[in-house]
């Protein structure tokens, strides 16, 4: 984006129609006529943050706190013992597993994993589990292995009552179900708040987390390396202000995709993104070399 003060900043816009977002073409049409969606608002906000750093020739990660990330398993069937050993050696201590597509297979994978490896594990069901399934999971694991489940994220669609019951079994984390939460409730049935800078207003979400003393996890939105760099910068800022509330984050999502010239410019050391060379969120020459089109062609 370019502003009237001539500052230029970058962010990506990566809708997930699976999560109810309008498709990209629709979002671009909205932008063209000056209508925004939450994703558009966040992209503009993030781009402006980048523009401010670029204007001062500052790099988004230099001199910032290091942000440790979990290792993401999008599909358990793709995981080999070598992958897990590599992740351990690289320094990951937390695994996040996307769940909810194949309950039986996932359960035996999990039992085996917890038996053989010393990771903390986060399970993300995207609202697709059921109460009986989560009870079965509880019954299937001995206490020592249960203790390695750091939390279960979005187990079922949110209602206070059902989550309250589930919270008796498992520590819970709130991500996509956040729209259904009544923040005035005296207690909340979850202990962890997932913050996705590309998908929600960061300041107000963090304020809620702090007020309710929730642990926080910043994650990218399975989006472009530009979005990953933005998410890591925000996580680093939050670590500075709220270190005791921050858990390992979830910004290392690029392994789900084939490497690109963008992702190749990022320097990872195991769970840490240590550098994105350039100014702002990085990628200076690559971003300049793209052929940019105005969303509103001059008439
Ligand atoms: Mg999630």
């Amino acid at each position: 984006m370019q502003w009237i003060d001539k500052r230029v900043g970058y962010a990506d816009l990566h809708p997930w129609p699976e999560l109810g977002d309008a498709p990209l073409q629709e979002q671009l049409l909205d932008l063209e006529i000056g209508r925004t969606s939450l994703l558009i608002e966040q992209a503009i906000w993030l781009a402006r943050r980048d523009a401010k750093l670029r204007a001062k020739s500052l790099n988004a990660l230099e001199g910032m706190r290091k942000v440790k990330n979990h290792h993401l398993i999008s599909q358990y069937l793709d995981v080999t013992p070598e992958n897990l050993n590599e992740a351990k050696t690289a320094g990951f201590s937390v695994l996040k597993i996307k769940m909810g597509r194949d309950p039986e297979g996932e359960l035996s994978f999990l039992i085996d994993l917890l038996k053989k490896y010393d990771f903390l594990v986060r399970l993300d069901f995207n609202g697709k589990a059921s109460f009986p399934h989560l009870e079965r999971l509880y019954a299937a694991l001995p206490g020592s292995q249960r203790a390695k489940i750091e939390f279960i994220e979005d187990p079922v669609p949110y209602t206070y009552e059902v989550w309250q019951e589930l919270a008796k079994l498992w520590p819970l984390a709130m991500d996509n179900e956040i729209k259904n939460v009544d923040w005035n409730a005296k207690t909340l049935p979850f202990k962890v708040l997932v913050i996705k800078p590309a998908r929600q207003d960061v300041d107000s979400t963090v304020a809620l987390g702090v007020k309710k003393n929730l642990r926080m996890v910043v994650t990218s939105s399975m989006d472009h390396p530009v979005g990953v760099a933005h998410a890591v910068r925000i996580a680093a800022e939050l670590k500075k202000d709220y270190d005791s509330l921050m858990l390992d984050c979830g910004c290392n999502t690029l392994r789900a995709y084939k490497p690109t010239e963008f992702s190749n410019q990022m320097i990872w050391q195991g769970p840490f993104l240590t550098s994105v060379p350039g100014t702002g969120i990085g990628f200076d020459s690559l971003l300049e070399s793209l052929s940019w089109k105005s969303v509103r062609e001059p008439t």
Side-chain angles (χ1 to χ4, degrees), residues 96 124 126 153-154 175-176 196:
K96 168 166 163 169
D124 185 359
N126 278 322
E153 181 177 323
D154 288 346
D175 179 16
N176 292 322
K196 289 199 176 112

Side-chain angles (χ1 to χ4, degrees), residues 191-263:
K191 293 189 164 63
V192 178
L193 186 59
V194 178
I195 296 165
K196 289 199 176 112
R199 304 188 59 83
Q200 66 203 147
D201 182 75
V202 173
D203 294 339
S204 58
T205 312
V206 168
L208 290 169
V210 172
K211 188 173 161 208
K212 296 290 185 182
N213 198 31
L214 301 173
R215 303 300 101 131
M216 295 187 279
V217 174
V218 174
T219 80
S220 44
S221 171
M222 301 286 291
D223 54 343
H224 190 274
V226 159
V228 171
H230 270 300
V232 173
R233 164 75 189 203
I234 284 174
E237 288 176 17
L238 292 177
K239 263 190 93 64
K240 183 166 157 275
D241 293 340
Y242 307 107
D243 197 23
S244 62
L245 296 181
M246 296 295 292
L247 302 177
D248 282 15
C249 288
C251 303
N252 187 0
T253 45
L254 294 170
R255 285 163 18 91
Y257 301 106
K258 284 197 185 118
T260 64
E261 46 189 352
F262 278 87
S263 62

Side-chain angles (χ1 to χ4, degrees), residues 10 12 54 223-229 254 258-268 273 275-277 281-292:
Y10 300 90
D12 63 327
R54 283 178 195 277
D223 54 343
H224 190 274
V226 159
V228 171
L254 294 170
K258 284 197 185 118
T260 64
E261 46 189 352
F262 278 87
S263 62
N264 284 338
Q265 287 204 353
M266 306 177 102
I267 301 169
W268 292 88
L273 174 62
S275 169
V276 274
I281 47 131
F283 315 109
D284 299 11
S285 52
L286 280 175
L287 289 165
E288 276 160 31
S289 71
L290 297 177
S291 63
W292 294 91

